[in-house]
Amino acid sequence: METSQRRQTGRPRGFDAEEALERALLVFWEQGYEGASLATLTEAMGISTTSMYATFGNKAELFRKALERYDEGPSAYLVRALEEPTALGVATAILAGTVRTTTRPSAPHGCLGVQGALATSESGREVRDLLAAWRTDGCDRISERFRRAVDEGDLPPEADPVLLARYVTSLSFGIAVQAASGIGRDELQEVADAALRNWPLS
């Protein structure tokens, strides 16, 4: 009887792992990696620290899973943007997607991938490196799409795909930082529109 009771006590209570991860994402998005304490995370997720470790691994692994969820949800506009038929359409969709995602009334403002771990202590190096790789990967994918645009004649032959990709991602990251500072959606969209007025055309 006592053994049975101990087993029941030791079992983590049932919870929806997907919902818990979604809540963890919002905490990381709003507070950053180091700003989000384990106590805050587990309270938001509605689970114990033991259950968190058992289900998601350590805090860095939880962040990694939250970033994957961010990619599949709020940041999924990048994948759709890369399918636009022209390079200008790609750039326009990326910046519009950034403006929408970083200024949603129902979500934290700014970008998890930009502000999640720009500055961390040594213990946060893994996550800082993860986000640096995440940003680089996004830029590389855009660069590859622009390279194809040059090959197809959509961009002029002298256009530099890498430079254009860096330009678009820098604008996107800057918009995210401005959004986190409280700049409104309409104003940020005006900035995006102005930045693309001199886009190189073939």
Side-chain angles (χ1 to χ4, degrees), residues 65-171:
K65 289 179 174 69
L67 182 62
E68 290 172 359
R69 192 173 186 86
Y70 184 77
D71 252 343
E72 296 163 359
S75 190
Y77 65 84
L78 176 60
V79 175
R80 296 190 295 271
L82 293 174
E83 296 172 353
E84 289 289 329
T86 66
L88 177 56
V90 170
T92 300
I94 289 172
L95 296 186
T98 301
V99 170
R100 283 195 312 274
T101 300
T102 59
T103 59
R104 280 184 188 163
S106 59
H109 287 182
C111 172
L112 174 66
V114 174
Q115 293 138 268
L118 280 179
T120 60
S121 63
E122 190 60 30
S123 64
R125 177 186 290 272
E126 178 185 349
V127 168
R128 188 173 71 237
D129 292 346
L130 170 68
L131 288 184
W134 182 84
R135 292 189 294 270
T136 298
D137 177 68
C139 188
D140 289 346
R141 291 161 72 187
I142 298 168
S143 174
E144 185 58 36
R145 176 62 184 83
F146 289 165
R147 187 170 289 109
R148 195 179 91 208
V150 173
D151 294 340
E152 294 172 349
D154 174 46
L155 284 172
E158 67 275 12
D160 184 336
V162 175
L163 180 61
L164 285 175
R166 190 70 64 196
Y167 176 66
V168 171
T169 53
S170 295
L171 284 168

Side-chain angles (χ1 to χ4, degrees), residues 38-71:
L38 281 177
T40 302
L41 285 163
T42 53
E43 181 179 356
M45 296 165 77
I47 60 176
S48 67
T49 304
T50 302
S51 294
M52 191 208 81
Y53 279 114
T55 306
F56 300 104
N58 60 23
K59 183 181 174 184
E61 280 302 309
L62 176 62
F63 185 90
R64 186 185 299 273
K65 289 179 174 69
L67 182 62
E68 290 172 359
R69 192 173 186 86
Y70 184 77
D71 252 343

